[in-house]
Amino acid sequence: MNDTTPAWSGSELSRFGDAEEIEISTRRRDGSLRPFVPIWVVAVGGALYVRSYRGAAGAWYRYAAGRPAGAIRIPGQQAEVVAAAADPGVREQVDAAYRAKYARYGTTYLRPMLADQAVAATLRLAPAH
């Protein structure tokens, strides 16, 4: 992402970033959305980040990496997004955000989200507008 990437409004960032989980979908070649998949999300530095706990093998991640246009939703709101690989320089901040937000789930669920496999499959979501 670069300086011309659209930014989330403060209210959008709060609603999506504070949600316990969001649902993510990617667009097929014909423009239709694939089924939505629930996923954890964190907000860091004004951006939203998601990870595939299955790493690059996760189906939604493979689709997002191949065709980055998609959508995210929470109850009552949906937003069009563009996914891009996260800058490796934000790893520590994104890891810390996952720990802070999801520690109550224990290491069984949190550890896979902090493992190298998931870190390598971290995407930054930007609004498509």
Side-chain angles (χ1 to χ4, degrees), residues 26-94:
T26 55
R27 294 214 173 267
R28 295 180 180 101
R29 290 187 190 280
D30 69 3
S32 64
L33 287 171
R34 296 179 187 284
F36 280 85
V37 176
I39 190 169
W40 286 358
V41 61
V42 294
V44 173
L48 295 176
Y49 293 90
V50 294
R51 287 181 170 164
S52 170
Y53 78 94
R54 291 183 177 161
W60 75 263
Y61 177 82
R62 286 192 324 269
Y63 293 132
R67 293 188 54 81
I72 58 174
R73 69 182 183 192
I74 54 175
Q77 186 171 4
Q78 183 169 314
E80 295 295 312
V81 296
V82 176
D87 179 336
V90 300
R91 176 185 179 162
E92 289 183 23
Q93 297 147 300
V94 173

Side-chain angles (χ1 to χ4, degrees), residues 91-115:
R91 176 185 179 162
E92 289 183 23
Q93 297 147 300
V94 173
D95 284 356
Y98 270 97
R99 281 188 196 98
K101 187 172 180 180
Y102 297 110
R104 70 183 171 283
Y105 290 102
T107 59
T108 301
Y109 294 102
L110 185 57
R111 187 178 297 126
M113 296 304 289
L114 302 173

Side-chain angles (χ1 to χ4, degrees), residues 1-48:
M1 308 249 163
N2 56 44
D3 293 336
T4 62
T5 301
W8 293 103
S9 72
S11 61
E12 289 173 317
L13 186 66
S14 293
R15 282 194 294 272
F16 287 111
D18 292 347
E20 189 64 20
E21 65 182 16
I22 62 171
E23 293 183 318
I24 189 167
S25 176
T26 55
R27 294 214 173 267
R28 295 180 180 101
R29 290 187 190 280
D30 69 3
S32 64
L33 287 171
R34 296 179 187 284
F36 280 85
V37 176
I39 190 169
W40 286 358
V41 61
V42 294
V44 173
L48 295 176

